[in-house]
Amino acid sequence: MNIAPEQSLARFLEAPTRFLFFTGKGGVGKTSLACASAIALADGGRRVLLVSTDPASNLDEVLGVSLTSTPTDILSVPRLAALNIDPAAAAMAYREKLVGPYRGKLPDAILRGMEEQLSGACTMEIAAFDEFSRLLGQPEATTDFDHVIFDTAPTGHTLRLLSLPGAWTGFLDSSTTGNSCLGPLSGLEKQRVVYENAVASLADGERTTLVLVSRAQRAALAEAERTSHELAAIGVRNQRLILNGLFQAAGSDPVALALQKRGTDALTAAEKFLTQMRLFKIPLRSQNLVGIPALRALVTANYFHANNQPDEVASVVLPATESLTELVDGIAKSGRGVVMTMGKGGVGKTTIAAAIATELARRGCKVHLSTTDPAAHIAAAAGKIPGMQVSRIDPQVETKAYVEQVMATAGKNLDANGRALLEEDLRSPCTEEIAVFRAFARTVAQGKDAFVVLDTAPTGHTLLLLDATESYHREIARKASDMPEEVRELLPRLRDAEYTRVLVVTLPEATPVHEAAMLQTDLRRAQIEPYAWVINQSFAGSGSHDPLLVTRGRGEVQYIREVVEKLSKRTALVPWVTEEPTGPERLQQLFQTTTKSIEP
């Protein structure tokens, strides 16, 4: 594959704006491209700050450096510094900023109550947003750097993050009471200028470029197009599109030809959108993009290994794993309950959730397939099959319903002034978090009588949701009568291994596996034990003989072994399949394939 110089990443970086945002569907390569761009600009003499806004950041592993929430110099790349906006650390600092001035002045019980009020996911998000806005809207915060590159969370979270400056400045403009769901607005009022500057920076095409990253996949391209329109609607119109991981088969290998055709078909279907965008192309690499040398090579325009033969070595035997069929056999025995797919964005959680749901329905079970992902495409993945209901937790719909419910109950007997105050409080962006949480609890409760298969948002968002669960549970313990039964029972249900089965989904690559391991640690800290791991889209198990795919397959083996031998008590391996697994019939491929050892 020959990538024309005018379409390469090197060409894209010839005249960059001060702020660059890399965003897109999970797993499309945002972090790799953001890191490679930062390294290339630093190598070219620019001073660069690389920032991750992803709650589940993997900058540390990609760069090989332990990062914090303050800029850390990357010693192997002069002029480059990087940081992670850590939501938990930001929330702790935010709480202390609000509570600290009252220590020694108010009773300890009141201080504990204030800290409890500021312990939920909403506080975590606004605290991280505070730091994001400071870097974007407070010039003195980044005066040491020529460029600031943001590696953002997967799209749904990013859209919410980018819309928050407008939401909060609007809320500040309309507030008359000085209160919000986070308590006194004085802290937010002090940030007004910073928030307004952040909004202005985002909308200024001379200062900011929004880089949409996609692969040649229908779902990723559809999400990129949707994101492009939504970002333009909030004023972010200076956009570029990078197509990452483009693949060309080296011969007649069926798996390679199917991979190439799937990409070509996806690009053809998205032709109208692609012609509207300033486009750049990156070929698929044979190795994982971890470490500075690999990231530097990513900028090289014609770097491609498809015609290179792999080393002649002995056949590699994969460790013993289960099939997806065997995994569903175990789940089906209970006859009801909740199945949750979790993991890094782009690992195929939606596909695995849809496959399990359709297979359970095919076996005669009553199934409700739903999603907590703001950027969901679960209906398209699953299709229609008798016995299965498909839905999504829509933040806008849930927020509207929640506000109407609160006004009809809590606001029913209030006078005009009281209703106005309540309406004002409900206009806070934090209201959405509460509404989505309650919808999540209602969906989980349906597992009493049927199977509920939940496709969760990418890891960071999911952890915020679980944090909200823990926070609500503590609050409920103090005033249980104020909450619906399904909310009171949510955390116990998630912890009940007979009721909820959590499947950790990953790809056989370094970053997805290690991020999934951290997710598992967090789940166990919340007393939630994963039921099994699913290693998805394995070229090692596909039987391909294409040189590039064989090389990638060989690289997968160490991570498959790491999962089987060190991380999971039960592991299913799902090979890469030739037809895109969407709809009930094509999803059946995931149950009919058998894994094969890699041949030399």
mmCIF file with all atom_site columns, all heavy atoms in Angstrom, residues 327-345:
data_model
loop_
_atom_site.group_PDB
_atom_site.id
_atom_site.type_symbol
_atom_site.label_atom_id
_atom_site.label_alt_id
_atom_site.label_comp_id
_atom_site.label_asym_id
_atom_site.label_entity_id
_atom_site.label_seq_id
_atom_site.pdbx_PDB_ins_code
_atom_site.Cartn_x
_atom_site.Cartn_y
_atom_site.Cartn_z
_atom_site.occupancy
_atom_site.B_iso_or_equiv
_atom_site.pdbx_formal_charge
_atom_site.auth_seq_id
_atom_site.auth_comp_id
_atom_site.auth_asym_id
_atom_site.auth_atom_id
_atom_site.pdbx_PDB_model_num
ATOM 1   N N   . LEU A 1 327 ? -18.891 -20.671 26.915 1.00 0.00 ? 327 LEU A N   1
ATOM 2   C CA  . LEU A 1 327 ? -19.154 -19.601 27.875 1.00 0.00 ? 327 LEU A CA  1
ATOM 3   C C   . LEU A 1 327 ? -20.655 -19.373 28.016 1.00 0.00 ? 327 LEU A C   1
ATOM 4   O O   . LEU A 1 327 ? -21.182 -19.254 29.138 1.00 0.00 ? 327 LEU A O   1
ATOM 5   C CB  . LEU A 1 327 ? -18.460 -18.319 27.417 1.00 0.00 ? 327 LEU A CB  1
ATOM 6   C CG  . LEU A 1 327 ? -18.210 -17.247 28.492 1.00 0.00 ? 327 LEU A CG  1
ATOM 7   C CD1 . LEU A 1 327 ? -17.263 -17.764 29.564 1.00 0.00 ? 327 LEU A CD1 1
ATOM 8   C CD2 . LEU A 1 327 ? -17.649 -15.991 27.852 1.00 0.00 ? 327 LEU A CD2 1
ATOM 9   N N   . VAL A 1 328 ? -21.371 -19.334 26.899 1.00 0.00 ? 328 VAL A N   1
ATOM 10  C CA  . VAL A 1 328 ? -22.819 -19.123 26.936 1.00 0.00 ? 328 VAL A CA  1
ATOM 11  C C   . VAL A 1 328 ? -23.522 -20.326 27.566 1.00 0.00 ? 328 VAL A C   1
ATOM 12  O O   . VAL A 1 328 ? -24.538 -20.167 28.252 1.00 0.00 ? 328 VAL A O   1
ATOM 13  C CB  . VAL A 1 328 ? -23.357 -18.836 25.522 1.00 0.00 ? 328 VAL A CB  1
ATOM 14  C CG1 . VAL A 1 328 ? -24.885 -18.758 25.527 1.00 0.00 ? 328 VAL A CG1 1
ATOM 15  C CG2 . VAL A 1 328 ? -22.783 -17.529 24.987 1.00 0.00 ? 328 VAL A CG2 1
ATOM 16  N N   . ASP A 1 329 ? -22.992 -21.534 27.364 1.00 0.00 ? 329 ASP A N   1
ATOM 17  C CA  . ASP A 1 329 ? -23.561 -22.716 28.022 1.00 0.00 ? 329 ASP A CA  1
ATOM 18  C C   . ASP A 1 329 ? -23.638 -22.506 29.526 1.00 0.00 ? 329 ASP A C   1
ATOM 19  O O   . ASP A 1 329 ? -24.658 -22.813 30.171 1.00 0.00 ? 329 ASP A O   1
ATOM 20  C CB  . ASP A 1 329 ? -22.714 -23.957 27.730 1.00 0.00 ? 329 ASP A CB  1
ATOM 21  C CG  . ASP A 1 329 ? -22.852 -24.446 26.294 1.00 0.00 ? 329 ASP A CG  1
ATOM 22  O OD1 . ASP A 1 329 ? -23.820 -24.050 25.624 1.00 0.00 ? 329 ASP A OD1 1
ATOM 23  O OD2 . ASP A 1 329 ? -21.969 -25.207 25.856 1.00 0.00 ? 329 ASP A OD2 1
ATOM 24  N N   . GLY A 1 330 ? -22.560 -21.983 30.110 1.00 0.00 ? 330 GLY A N   1
ATOM 25  C CA  . GLY A 1 330 ? -22.528 -21.750 31.551 1.00 0.00 ? 330 GLY A CA  1
ATOM 26  C C   . GLY A 1 330 ? -23.491 -20.666 31.987 1.00 0.00 ? 330 GLY A C   1
ATOM 27  O O   . GLY A 1 330 ? -24.153 -20.777 33.030 1.00 0.00 ? 330 GLY A O   1
ATOM 28  N N   . ILE A 1 331 ? -23.595 -19.596 31.179 1.00 0.00 ? 331 ILE A N   1
ATOM 29  C CA  . ILE A 1 331 ? -24.490 -18.484 31.516 1.00 0.00 ? 331 ILE A CA  1
ATOM 30  C C   . ILE A 1 331 ? -25.946 -18.925 31.436 1.00 0.00 ? 331 ILE A C   1
ATOM 31  O O   . ILE A 1 331 ? -26.767 -18.587 32.296 1.00 0.00 ? 331 ILE A O   1
ATOM 32  C CB  . ILE A 1 331 ? -24.235 -17.292 30.568 1.00 0.00 ? 331 ILE A CB  1
ATOM 33  C CG1 . ILE A 1 331 ? -22.839 -16.695 30.829 1.00 0.00 ? 331 ILE A CG1 1
ATOM 34  C CG2 . ILE A 1 331 ? -25.306 -16.225 30.722 1.00 0.00 ? 331 ILE A CG2 1
ATOM 35  C CD1 . ILE A 1 331 ? -22.398 -15.660 29.811 1.00 0.00 ? 331 ILE A CD1 1
ATOM 36  N N   . ALA A 1 332 ? -26.277 -19.711 30.404 1.00 0.00 ? 332 ALA A N   1
ATOM 37  C CA  . ALA A 1 332 ? -27.672 -20.088 30.154 1.00 0.00 ? 332 ALA A CA  1
ATOM 38  C C   . ALA A 1 332 ? -28.262 -20.950 31.265 1.00 0.00 ? 332 ALA A C   1
ATOM 39  O O   . ALA A 1 332 ? -29.488 -20.969 31.456 1.00 0.00 ? 332 ALA A O   1
ATOM 40  C CB  . ALA A 1 332 ? -27.775 -20.814 28.816 1.00 0.00 ? 332 ALA A CB  1
ATOM 41  N N   . LYS A 1 333 ? -27.431 -21.659 32.007 1.00 0.00 ? 333 LYS A N   1
ATOM 42  C CA  . LYS A 1 333 ? -27.922 -22.583 33.039 1.00 0.00 ? 333 LYS A CA  1
ATOM 43  C C   . LYS A 1 333 ? -28.755 -21.875 34.099 1.00 0.00 ? 333 LYS A C   1
ATOM 44  O O   . LYS A 1 333 ? -29.677 -22.463 34.667 1.00 0.00 ? 333 LYS A O   1
ATOM 45  C CB  . LYS A 1 333 ? -26.748 -23.303 33.696 1.00 0.00 ? 333 LYS A CB  1
ATOM 46  C CG  . LYS A 1 333 ? -26.070 -24.333 32.798 1.00 0.00 ? 333 LYS A CG  1
ATOM 47  C CD  . LYS A 1 333 ? -24.885 -24.970 33.503 1.00 0.00 ? 333 LYS A CD  1
ATOM 48  C CE  . LYS A 1 333 ? -24.171 -25.976 32.596 1.00 0.00 ? 333 LYS A CE  1
ATOM 49  N NZ  . LYS A 1 333 ? -22.985 -26.572 33.261 1.00 0.00 ? 333 LYS A NZ  1
ATOM 50  N N   . SER A 1 334 ? -28.439 -20.627 34.386 1.00 0.00 ? 334 SER A N   1
ATOM 51  C CA  . SER A 1 334 ? -29.148 -19.913 35.464 1.00 0.00 ? 334 SER A CA  1
ATOM 52  C C   . SER A 1 334 ? -30.558 -19.515 35.055 1.00 0.00 ? 334 SER A C   1
ATOM 53  O O   . SER A 1 334 ? -31.409 -19.273 35.912 1.00 0.00 ? 334 SER A O   1
ATOM 54  C CB  . SER A 1 334 ? -28.366 -18.667 35.878 1.00 0.00 ? 334 SER A CB  1
ATOM 55  O OG  . SER A 1 334 ? -28.287 -17.760 34.789 1.00 0.00 ? 334 SER A OG  1
ATOM 56  N N   . GLY A 1 335 ? -30.818 -19.367 33.752 1.00 0.00 ? 335 GLY A N   1
ATOM 57  C CA  . GLY A 1 335 ? -32.155 -19.037 33.280 1.00 0.00 ? 335 GLY A CA  1
ATOM 58  C C   . GLY A 1 335 ? -32.533 -17.576 33.385 1.00 0.00 ? 335 GLY A C   1
ATOM 59  O O   . GLY A 1 335 ? -33.546 -17.136 32.835 1.00 0.00 ? 335 GLY A O   1
ATOM 60  N N   . ARG A 1 336 ? -31.733 -16.779 34.071 1.00 0.00 ? 336 ARG A N   1
ATOM 61  C CA  . ARG A 1 336 ? -31.996 -15.336 34.223 1.00 0.00 ? 336 ARG A CA  1
ATOM 62  C C   . ARG A 1 336 ? -30.740 -14.659 34.756 1.00 0.00 ? 336 ARG A C   1
ATOM 63  O O   . ARG A 1 336 ? -29.748 -15.320 35.068 1.00 0.00 ? 336 ARG A O   1
ATOM 64  C CB  . ARG A 1 336 ? -33.154 -15.087 35.184 1.00 0.00 ? 336 ARG A CB  1
ATOM 65  C CG  . ARG A 1 336 ? -32.856 -15.550 36.613 1.00 0.00 ? 336 ARG A CG  1
ATOM 66  C CD  . ARG A 1 336 ? -33.970 -15.197 37.571 1.00 0.00 ? 336 ARG A CD  1
ATOM 67  N NE  . ARG A 1 336 ? -33.671 -15.608 38.938 1.00 0.00 ? 336 ARG A NE  1
ATOM 68  C CZ  . ARG A 1 336 ? -32.929 -14.900 39.810 1.00 0.00 ? 336 ARG A CZ  1
ATOM 69  N NH1 . ARG A 1 336 ? -32.426 -13.729 39.438 1.00 0.00 ? 336 ARG A NH1 1
ATOM 70  N NH2 . ARG A 1 336 ? -32.691 -15.354 41.028 1.00 0.00 ? 336 ARG A NH2 1
ATOM 71  N N   . GLY A 1 337 ? -30.788 -13.334 34.901 1.00 0.00 ? 337 GLY A N   1
ATOM 72  C CA  . GLY A 1 337 ? -29.669 -12.602 35.466 1.00 0.00 ? 337 GLY A CA  1
ATOM 73  C C   . GLY A 1 337 ? -29.120 -11.559 34.516 1.00 0.00 ? 337 GLY A C   1
ATOM 74  O O   . GLY A 1 337 ? -29.636 -11.343 33.412 1.00 0.00 ? 337 GLY A O   1
ATOM 75  N N   . VAL A 1 338 ? -28.059 -10.891 34.951 1.00 0.00 ? 338 VAL A N   1
ATOM 76  C CA  . VAL A 1 338 ? -27.447 -9.792  34.204 1.00 0.00 ? 338 VAL A CA  1
ATOM 77  C C   . VAL A 1 338 ? -26.080 -10.222 33.682 1.00 0.00 ? 338 VAL A C   1
ATOM 78  O O   . VAL A 1 338 ? -25.292 -10.817 34.430 1.00 0.00 ? 338 VAL A O   1
ATOM 79  C CB  . VAL A 1 338 ? -27.306 -8.536  35.092 1.00 0.00 ? 338 VAL A CB  1
ATOM 80  C CG1 . VAL A 1 338 ? -26.558 -7.431  34.360 1.00 0.00 ? 338 VAL A CG1 1
ATOM 81  C CG2 . VAL A 1 338 ? -28.677 -8.047  35.533 1.00 0.00 ? 338 VAL A CG2 1
ATOM 82  N N   . VAL A 1 339 ? -25.820 -9.938  32.421 1.00 0.00 ? 339 VAL A N   1
ATOM 83  C CA  . VAL A 1 339 ? -24.503 -10.139 31.823 1.00 0.00 ? 339 VAL A CA  1
ATOM 84  C C   . VAL A 1 339 ? -23.993 -8.772  31.401 1.00 0.00 ? 339 VAL A C   1
ATOM 85  O O   . VAL A 1 339 ? -24.662 -8.063  30.645 1.00 0.00 ? 339 VAL A O   1
ATOM 86  C CB  . VAL A 1 339 ? -24.562 -11.078 30.605 1.00 0.00 ? 339 VAL A CB  1
ATOM 87  C CG1 . VAL A 1 339 ? -23.171 -11.244 29.996 1.00 0.00 ? 339 VAL A CG1 1
ATOM 88  C CG2 . VAL A 1 339 ? -25.149 -12.430 30.985 1.00 0.00 ? 339 VAL A CG2 1
ATOM 89  N N   . MET A 1 340 ? -22.822 -8.368  31.893 1.00 0.00 ? 340 MET A N   1
ATOM 90  C CA  . MET A 1 340 ? -22.259 -7.061  31.554 1.00 0.00 ? 340 MET A CA  1
ATOM 91  C C   . MET A 1 340 ? -20.927 -7.243  30.837 1.00 0.00 ? 340 MET A C   1
ATOM 92  O O   . MET A 1 340 ? -20.042 -7.933  31.336 1.00 0.00 ? 340 MET A O   1
ATOM 93  C CB  . MET A 1 340 ? -22.053 -6.219  32.815 1.00 0.00 ? 340 MET A CB  1
ATOM 94  C CG  . MET A 1 340 ? -23.333 -5.840  33.529 1.00 0.00 ? 340 MET A CG  1
ATOM 95  S SD  . MET A 1 340 ? -23.036 -4.897  35.060 1.00 0.00 ? 340 MET A SD  1
ATOM 96  C CE  . MET A 1 340 ? -22.314 -3.397  34.396 1.00 0.00 ? 340 MET A CE  1
ATOM 97  N N   . THR A 1 341 ? -20.781 -6.629  29.659 1.00 0.00 ? 341 THR A N   1
ATOM 98  C CA  . THR A 1 341 ? -19.492 -6.630  28.966 1.00 0.00 ? 341 THR A CA  1
ATOM 99  C C   . THR A 1 341 ? -18.778 -5.327  29.287 1.00 0.00 ? 341 THR A C   1
ATOM 100 O O   . THR A 1 341 ? -19.342 -4.248  29.159 1.00 0.00 ? 341 THR A O   1
ATOM 101 C CB  . THR A 1 341 ? -19.678 -6.777  27.444 1.00 0.00 ? 341 THR A CB  1
ATOM 102 O OG1 . THR A 1 341 ? -20.534 -5.738  26.956 1.00 0.00 ? 341 THR A OG1 1
ATOM 103 C CG2 . THR A 1 341 ? -20.279 -8.129  27.105 1.00 0.00 ? 341 THR A CG2 1
ATOM 104 N N   . MET A 1 342 ? -17.519 -5.440  29.694 1.00 0.00 ? 342 MET A N   1
ATOM 105 C CA  . MET A 1 342 ? -16.716 -4.273  30.064 1.00 0.00 ? 342 MET A CA  1
ATOM 106 C C   . MET A 1 342 ? -15.335 -4.373  29.421 1.00 0.00 ? 342 MET A C   1
ATOM 107 O O   . MET A 1 342 ? -14.850 -5.464  29.140 1.00 0.00 ? 342 MET A O   1
ATOM 108 C CB  . MET A 1 342 ? -16.534 -4.194  31.585 1.00 0.00 ? 342 MET A CB  1
ATOM 109 C CG  . MET A 1 342 ? -17.783 -3.889  32.371 1.00 0.00 ? 342 MET A CG  1
ATOM 110 S SD  . MET A 1 342 ? -17.367 -3.638  34.123 1.00 0.00 ? 342 MET A SD  1
ATOM 111 C CE  . MET A 1 342 ? -18.973 -3.191  34.767 1.00 0.00 ? 342 MET A CE  1
ATOM 112 N N   . GLY A 1 343 ? -14.692 -3.223  29.229 1.00 0.00 ? 343 GLY A N   1
ATOM 113 C CA  . GLY A 1 343 ? -13.338 -3.215  28.699 1.00 0.00 ? 343 GLY A CA  1
ATOM 114 C C   . GLY A 1 343 ? -13.021 -1.912  28.002 1.00 0.00 ? 343 GLY A C   1
ATOM 115 O O   . GLY A 1 343 ? -13.845 -0.998  27.917 1.00 0.00 ? 343 GLY A O   1
ATOM 116 N N   . LYS A 1 344 ? -11.823 -1.817  27.480 1.00 0.00 ? 344 LYS A N   1
ATOM 117 C CA  . LYS A 1 344 ? -11.356 -0.643  26.766 1.00 0.00 ? 344 LYS A CA  1
ATOM 118 C C   . LYS A 1 344 ? -12.192 -0.423  25.514 1.00 0.00 ? 344 LYS A C   1
ATOM 119 O O   . LYS A 1 344 ? -12.682 -1.374  24.908 1.00 0.00 ? 344 LYS A O   1
ATOM 120 C CB  . LYS A 1 344 ? -9.884  -0.828  26.392 1.00 0.00 ? 344 LYS A CB  1
ATOM 121 C CG  . LYS A 1 344 ? -9.262  0.310   25.608 1.00 0.00 ? 344 LYS A CG  1
ATOM 122 C CD  . LYS A 1 344 ? -7.790  0.018   25.334 1.00 0.00 ? 344 LYS A CD  1
ATOM 123 C CE  . LYS A 1 344 ? -7.221  0.991   24.302 1.00 0.00 ? 344 LYS A CE  1
ATOM 124 N NZ  . LYS A 1 344 ? -7.308  2.384   24.751 1.00 0.00 ? 344 LYS A NZ  1
ATOM 125 N N   . GLY A 1 345 ? -12.371 0.831   25.128 1.00 0.00 ? 345 GLY A N   1
ATOM 126 C CA  . GLY A 1 345 ? -13.095 1.121   23.905 1.00 0.00 ? 345 GLY A CA  1
ATOM 127 C C   . GLY A 1 345 ? -12.472 0.437   22.698 1.00 0.00 ? 345 GLY A C   1
ATOM 128 O O   . GLY A 1 345 ? -11.260 0.361   22.569 1.00 0.00 ? 345 GLY A O   1
#
